[in-house]
Amino acid sequence: MKKIFSLSIFCFFLSQVSSQSFRAPAYPLITHDPYFSIWSFTDQVNASPTKHWTGKDQPLIGILKVDGKFYKFLGDIEKVYDAVVPASDEKPYDMMYIETEPQGNWTTINYDDKDWQKGAAPFGDDGSGVKTLWKSHDIWARRTFDISELTADKLFLKLHHDDNVEVYLNGQKVYEHTGWTNKFIYLPVSEEIKNKLMKGKNVLAIHVVNTAGGAWLDAGIVKEAKNTTSRLLQQAEHKNVTIDATQTTYTLTCGPTDLELAFTSPLLAKNIDLLARPVSYVSVKVKSNDGAPHDASLYFGASTSLAVNASSQTVVANGYTSDQLSILKAGTKEQPVLQKKGDDLRIDWGYMYVALPAKDRAVQYITPAKSAFNAFLNDTYRFNTGSVEGTQLMLNSVISLGRVGNEVVNKIMMIGYDDLYSIQYFGQNLLPWWKDGKNTTIEKELSKAYTDYGQIIIRCKEWNTKLYNDALKAGGEEYARLCVLAYRQSIAAHKLVKSPQGELLFMSKENYSNGSINTVDITYPSAPLYLAYNPELLKGMLNGIFHYSESGKWAKPFAAHDLGTYPLANGQTYGEDMPVEEAGNMVILTAAIANVEKNAKYAEKHWATLTTWANYLLKEGFDPANQLCTDDFAGHLARNANLSVKAIVALGSYAKLAEQLGKKDTAEFYRKSAAGMVTQWMELANDGDHYALTFDNKGTWSQKYNLVWDKILGLKLFPKEVYDKEIKYYLTKQNKYGLPLDSRKTYTKSDWIIWTATLADNSNDFTALVKPVYDYITGTPTRVPMSDWYETTDGKQVGFQARSVVGGYFMKLLEKL
């Protein structure tokens, strides 16, 4: 008992040192990779369903029963609907359609559509996913259906459209929207419109315009499923939430008991094997708050939404015991391994796992999600882990806590995911790192995670404290909080695998953008975190790009933009090259690895490729032609002064690498070339009290964030006056939520602001530039995993979320290490 008491005191002390209580845009709960990533989008963890970073519901539910009363402390059930007029994911149906504008009032019930064609839904241009091909600009469709009994329930239009849409019910407009969706949305039907429904024949009439890209049409009418038992539930009272590098912890009150809910994803940067293990811990600690003992039991539910891309996909679930664990498992029946690619997608292959210690004698059972916790509330739950097939299921576990008094009762649950194969790499499907051909199973990983739980939690708390203190020392408390929040988000935007050549690959997904895999100008801003704490991971971000060139698959004299579209890394899919951007990024980051490792062995392996890129920059980098850079959302730009800085710093970096490798003549030549460019740059970019956006456009300005590597790598190419002039000017251009990216727009990138602030030579100026970013993070009205692209005027997201680039927040920390 003394040993256990000492351990708990030690963990408590560590948590008090590093834990940060502040409002986040969203709260990381389970964070491993782009597919296995669950967040709370509200400040109170029991106020809404937990979600995948894309915003799709992936519910985890926790309920504590105390003396016969039920308190919901975690999540909520995702909304489930009953079909009134089924869409195609529920039941096949046909529509009459035409692709030329119809004459007359085509939206009414009695319109004569006998000359139209007949086709099965869904309609679209994707031959693999639709029943009726539609590739023209417009489609007009009529769906006739019968209603036997009118309902008093609230109705919703269930709609998936791409692009612009108009929807009518019996001649009355229900909905109109310019734009598109890539999933079903549920739109409330007003009472006025609902009253247009009649017994017998009705018609949904829909016009869709395909303006660009994909095309899709599928529609139905639904009502929200009722759960009368849920009235027995009370909300647990939220008290506090703290965020650490590897943990998010909530404290709540459930009537006469207090509850602590902790999510731990042990992403220890220095321990690659542990970082790669796809298992997170959910721990629940309960104690009496009134001094009296109370009968208590714990319900935990995990939706099979974790294992599907769309809620209509059929899932197979079952339970079993393995070693010291009771396990529930679920995955799609279809198992389309690595068959989908893109951005707004969830994994629909592999299997999710919920594992509890067998000694806890949990009662486990599988139900439809719409009645997930009814059996627990009605006290009718029974052990049942036989195979169940269906859609939208829930994996349920109930643990008796017995009589809970002043002693804390602690229960742990583990959630894991085995994706079978993680990445396709130039045609070869790669296993996740943790499998690595060692006959390892997910059951063994779960068992090891359970056996090592105590020590892993200690190591996580030690890491939490170290990271926070490193960041605190480097940039102050608000800066440290930004780094803490960025840590899990950045790591979990990657997948760790081993290449066929035996090299580590740490493959990023360009989340909430275009879904590219291993994008070089995503690696570039992400790099400071990994340089600070494990450069092997940064090598894993560069290895695939080097291989792409060195294998001959990419023959251009500059680096590729990406390796494909996640999770298929079969070659660049982005439609345009970024020659100066990507060549500069690769050379600079290779030099940064040499800088932290104090040797250039990694550069030596790739010297021929680096030389090709350096020569390209020597010829084309100083005064860039009209092209994209990493800020491609801002459009093409010629004579980009900040992009020119990147080329100059990259050439200086190459010179430094050459010097480290004993290539003195090469080092001298490239150093001299870079230094000469600096002099020209200062003349061409000079705009009085600052330096311009482009060489030929005075009266403009931009963040010269690429300058930071001149400082970090100790190149000393640019004189200090350049840094000082820019910082002084930037301080006059800030808005409420930060420094705009440049003079063209008021939006910004938070990672670049931190880099720009690191150019400051004093803490006051650094803090002045970083504080508005902190104010944005803690005050934004956009409740999603951190967006790095936002408006400086109102703090609203412009685009991007859950991206790895927030690893760039560690630039100031990197400078100080």
Side-chain angles (χ1 to χ4, degrees):
M1 287 297 294
K2 183 176 181 181
K3 184 176 180 181
I4 295 173
F5 175 77
S6 299
L7 176 63
S8 65
I9 292 294
F10 179 62
C11 290
F12 174 81
F13 173 75
L14 285 174
S15 67
Q16 297 308 299
V17 171
S18 62
S19 293
Q20 295 300 304
S21 180
F22 64 99
R23 177 190 180 274
Y27 298 83
L29 304 180
I30 292 172
T31 47
H32 288 276
D33 61 49
Y35 288 139
F36 191 25
S37 180
I38 306 173
W39 299 67
S40 172
F41 281 38
T42 50
D43 296 322
Q44 298 182 11
V45 72
N46 58 348
S48 64
T50 55
K51 300 176 184 290
H52 186 256
W53 66 260
T54 57
K56 186 76 170 179
D57 287 354
Q58 292 189 334
L60 303 175
I61 299 174
I63 302 170
L64 185 69
K65 180 181 180 182
V66 183
D67 297 337
K69 295 182 178 179
F70 299 91
Y71 302 89
K72 178 165 66 69
F73 62 84
L74 168 62
D76 204 352
I77 192 71
E78 61 187 318
K79 285 189 176 180
V80 180
Y81 300 90
D82 290 331
V84 177
V85 182
S88 70
D89 63 330
E90 298 163 313
K91 185 178 180 181
Y93 71 91
D94 295 327
M95 288 199 284
M96 304 301 291
Y97 72 98
I98 190 170
E99 295 178 64
T100 57
E101 186 169 3
Q103 301 298 310
N105 193 355
W106 62 278
T107 68
T108 60
I109 295 176
N110 296 321
Y111 180 83
D112 185 1
D113 58 17
K114 69 177 185 299
D115 293 329
W116 292 25
Q117 298 181 74
K118 185 177 184 180
F123 295 74
D125 63 351
D126 177 2
S128 64
V130 303
K131 295 291 181 65
T132 302
L133 276 176
W134 160 49
K135 294 189 175 182
S136 63
H137 188 263
D138 292 81
I139 190 169
W140 289 262
R142 289 170 49 85
R143 180 179 184 185
T144 302
F145 59 92
D146 289 325
I147 294 287
S148 57
E149 291 292 335
L150 298 178
T151 178
D153 294 326
K154 179 73 175 174
L155 297 182
F156 298 82
L157 173 66
K158 179 179 178 180
L159 181 64
H160 183 176
H161 67 92
D162 187 355
D163 295 291
N164 307 343
V165 68
E166 299 174 90
V167 183
Y168 299 84
L169 175 61
N170 294 342
Q172 184 78 33
K173 185 178 283 188
V174 178
Y175 181 68
E176 182 176 12
H177 181 70
T178 299
W180 53 274
T181 68
N182 53 10
K183 57 187 175 185
F184 280 111
I185 56 174
Y186 297 85
L187 304 159
V189 175
S190 70
E191 285 299 312
E192 178 186 0
I193 300 296
K194 178 182 167 186
N195 290 335
K196 294 289 181 179
L197 279 173
M198 301 181 295
K199 283 188 178 181
K201 182 180 177 181
N202 296 268
V203 66
L204 270 177
I206 306 169
H207 175 211
V208 184
V209 182
N210 180 23
T211 59
W216 200 274
L217 170 59
D218 196 357
I221 299 174
V222 297
K223 60 183 180 180
E224 196 168 340
K226 294 180 179 178
N227 188 336
T228 56
T229 312
S230 63
R231 70 181 185 276
L232 299 173
L233 275 178
Q234 302 180 48
Q235 285 286 89
E237 183 183 356
H238 173 90
K239 293 293 187 181
N240 192 36
V241 55
T242 59
I243 304 171
D244 293 297
T246 64
Q247 296 176 295
T248 301
T249 305
Y250 297 87
T251 55
L252 306 98
T253 296
C254 301
T257 62
D258 291 332
L259 182 147
E260 179 187 282
L261 171 66
F263 296 88
T264 304
S265 295
L267 307 182
L268 302 183
K270 294 180 183 295
N271 186 330
I272 288 177
D273 289 340
L274 184 57
L275 183 147
R277 180 188 291 160
V279 178
S280 277
Y281 302 102
V282 182
S283 69
V284 176
K285 297 179 181 179
V286 183
K287 66 183 290 291
S288 172
N289 61 28
D290 64 1
H294 301 279
D295 290 321
S297 55
L298 174 69
Y299 166 89
F300 180 74
S303 168
T304 58
S305 296
L306 273 69
V308 303
N309 179 53
S311 58
S312 59
Q313 289 180 283
T314 299
V315 172
V316 177
N318 69 290
Y320 58 98
T321 59
S322 177
D323 195 8
Q324 52 194 332
L325 299 174
S326 299
I327 297 173
L328 291 170
K329 170 186 176 181
T332 59
K333 183 178 182 180
E334 181 186 6
Q335 288 297 306
V337 177
L338 295 170
Q339 293 300 301
K340 293 181 177 68
K341 64 178 181 178
D343 184 27
D344 188 7
L345 293 172
R346 276 69 45 196
I347 194 168
D348 59 2
W349 69 89
Y351 298 90
M352 63 174 288
Y353 294 80
V354 177
L356 284 73
K359 66 181 180 59
D360 285 342
R361 300 182 181 276
V363 177
Q364 295 186 302
Y365 55 103
I366 302 160
T367 63
K370 66 177 67 177
S371 57
F373 40 76
N374 288 3
F376 179 61
L377 300 183
N378 292 328
D379 200 26
T380 58
Y381 60 91
R382 299 293 183 268
F383 189 89
N384 182 6
T385 58
S387 183
V388 176
E389 183 176 316
T391 60
Q392 296 180 280
L393 303 179
M394 186 69 75
L395 309 184
N396 309 283
S397 301
V398 177
I399 308 171
S400 172
L401 305 185
R403 299 279 283 172
V404 175
N406 294 326
E407 294 291 324
V408 172
V409 178
N410 184 20
K411 298 297 178 182
I412 65 167
M413 295 145 283
M414 294 177 292
I415 300 181
Y417 205 100
D418 180 0
D419 57 6
L420 306 180
Y421 288 95
S422 303
I423 299 291
Q424 188 174 97
Y425 185 70
F426 298 106
Q428 183 170 338
N429 292 350
L430 301 184
L431 295 167
W433 178 272
W434 61 270
K435 285 189 175 177
D436 195 28
K438 298 175 182 174
N439 196 30
T440 301
T441 65
I442 189 66
E443 288 84 2
K444 290 178 181 177
E445 291 297 295
L446 287 164
S447 182
K448 187 168 177 57
Y450 173 62
T451 300
D452 296 343
Y453 171 72
Q455 287 303 312
I456 288 173
I457 293 298
I458 289 174
R459 290 162 69 187
C460 285
K461 290 182 180 295
E462 290 173 340
W463 184 248
N464 296 343
T465 301
K466 173 178 170 48
L467 187 146
Y468 173 74
N469 286 338
D470 286 349
L472 180 68
K473 184 178 179 181
E477 184 171 346
E478 291 181 345
Y479 172 71
R481 290 179 175 183
L482 291 175
C483 290
V484 165
L485 188 58
Y487 181 76
R488 272 178 284 170
Q489 175 171 314
S490 183
I491 293 175
H494 297 83
K495 186 67 182 184
L496 193 62
V497 294
K498 182 179 286 188
S499 78
Q501 295 75 34
E503 291 186 315
L504 184 151
L505 297 174
F506 194 47
M507 311 288 272
S508 65
K509 178 177 180 181
E510 197 167 341
N511 288 344
Y512 215 74
S513 177
N514 61 359
S516 290
I517 187 170
N518 211 170
T519 304
V520 176
D521 58 284
I522 293 296
T523 296
Y524 179 67
S526 305
L529 165 58
Y530 306 99
L531 286 165
Y533 289 124
N534 192 344
E536 292 301 318
L537 292 172
L538 180 55
K539 291 177 188 177
M541 298 153 80
L542 304 186
N543 286 337
I545 299 295
F546 277 121
H547 172 73
Y548 194 17
S549 285
E550 292 163 358
S551 66
K553 294 180 175 69
W554 178 262
K556 298 179 182 181
F558 47 82
H561 170 270
D562 61 77
L563 291 184
T565 302
Y566 197 93
L568 307 183
N570 295 321
Q572 179 173 310
T573 52
Y574 190 73
E576 186 173 346
D577 298 330
M578 297 184 187
V580 175
E581 175 71 38
E582 310 304 16
N585 291 342
M586 290 296 291
V587 174
I588 289 169
L589 294 181
T590 303
I593 290 170
N595 191 60
V596 298
E597 291 190 333
K598 310 301 182 189
N599 69 75
K601 291 179 181 178
Y602 184 70
E604 190 172 25
K605 275 178 61 178
H606 304 291
W607 191 248
T609 306
L610 291 167
T611 300
T612 298
W613 294 339
N615 286 336
Y616 179 84
L617 293 171
L618 190 65
K619 181 181 178 182
E620 304 288 349
F622 171 69
D623 194 354
N626 191 37
Q627 62 189 277
L628 294 174
C629 69
T630 183
D631 304 316
D632 54 353
F633 52 83
H636 295 76
L637 202 60
R639 314 199 74 188
N640 183 337
N642 187 46
L643 189 58
S644 177
V645 169
K646 177 169 289 182
I648 294 168
V649 172
L651 290 170
S653 298
Y654 180 79
K656 184 173 181 179
L657 288 169
E659 184 178 5
Q660 286 178 281
L661 292 171
K663 302 176 186 293
K664 293 184 179 180
D665 290 345
T666 300
E668 184 178 348
F669 172 76
Y670 281 92
R671 172 75 191 188
K672 185 177 180 179
S673 298
M677 290 178 182
V678 170
T679 303
Q680 295 180 68
W681 186 93
M682 292 175 65
E683 293 173 358
L684 288 172
N686 187 41
D687 198 10
D689 59 354
H690 68 284
Y691 296 95
L693 170 67
T694 65
F695 291 150
D696 58 353
N697 195 359
K698 305 306 179 186
T700 63
W701 62 272
S702 64
Q703 291 189 47
K704 308 301 188 300
Y705 53 80
N706 288 318
L707 269 174
V708 74
W709 292 107
D710 185 47
K711 184 176 184 180
I712 295 294
L713 301 179
L715 301 177
K716 299 181 180 178
L717 289 166
F718 287 83
K720 187 174 180 296
E721 68 185 76
V722 174
Y723 299 10
D724 293 346
K725 182 190 285 192
E726 287 290 276
I727 290 294
K728 184 177 180 181
Y729 187 78
Y730 296 149
L731 290 170
T732 71
K733 292 296 178 181
Q734 294 203 100
N735 291 325
K736 180 178 180 181
Y737 292 111
L739 179 67
L741 181 66
D742 57 48
S743 53
R744 291 174 291 177
K745 300 280 187 179
T746 56
Y747 58 55
T748 196
K749 291 278 275 80
S750 58
D751 45 340
W752 297 150
I753 291 179
I754 304 299
W755 289 30
T756 296
T758 304
L759 295 172
D761 65 359
N762 64 83
S763 61
N764 288 338
D765 287 349
F766 174 81
T767 300
L769 288 163
V770 170
K771 187 181 188 324
V773 178
Y774 179 80
D775 291 342
Y776 152 66
I777 293 296
T778 57
T780 178
T782 310
R783 306 309 299 272
V784 297
M786 279 191 295
S787 170
D788 52 287
W789 181 20
Y790 67 94
E791 267 293 342
T792 60
T793 54
D794 57 17
K796 292 181 179 178
Q797 175 190 32
V798 176
F800 306 155
Q801 65 193 46
R803 301 206 310 164
S804 69
V805 302
V806 294
Y809 291 5
F810 286 77
M811 183 61 86
K812 184 66 176 178
L813 185 150
L814 178 64
E815 181 204 13
K816 295 296 184 180
L817 285 181

